[in-house]
Amino acid sequence: ILFRDRLVGRIEPRIDRAHGQVQILGLWWEDWFDPRREEGFVDAMRDALSAYLRFAGTTRIDWAAHLDQERRLL
């Protein structure tokens, strides 16, 4: 995940067209990065996820159970 000019994390999405959703299987932040403290990041990430849903032709995200905190944030 690039934010401005820095690599801040990694994401593992999978398009599941059969169920009309994108599955987020993993999401990892760089050790120094806190998405809640970086001004503008949450809105930018939400916009990026929305764009990915449009690209995938789906309207729903299914978050892996261990990503509950990220699901609430984003």
Side-chain angles (χ1 to χ4, degrees):
I1 300 171
L2 293 174
F3 181 62
R4 297 189 178 125
D5 64 345
R6 298 176 294 164
L7 177 67
V8 299
R10 291 161 179 80
I11 190 168
E12 183 181 0
R14 180 171 55 190
I15 300 170
D16 182 357
R17 288 192 174 88
H19 294 102
Q21 65 187 10
V22 168
Q23 298 171 326
I24 305 296
L25 305 175
L27 183 58
W28 304 269
W29 305 117
E30 294 298 315
D31 291 338
W32 55 268
F33 184 73
D34 182 348
R36 292 171 297 277
R37 292 184 173 192
E38 191 69 38
E39 184 177 336
F41 176 78
V42 171
D43 289 335
M45 187 67 180
R46 287 176 182 161
D47 290 345
L49 288 171
S50 292
Y52 193 76
L53 288 175
R54 288 190 301 278
F55 164 78
T58 66
T59 58
R60 195 166 78 88
I61 296 178
D62 179 46
W63 294 84
H66 69 280
L67 297 174
D68 194 49
Q69 183 178 9
E70 287 80 2
R71 180 188 58 79
R72 287 191 308 270
L73 177 65
L74 301 171

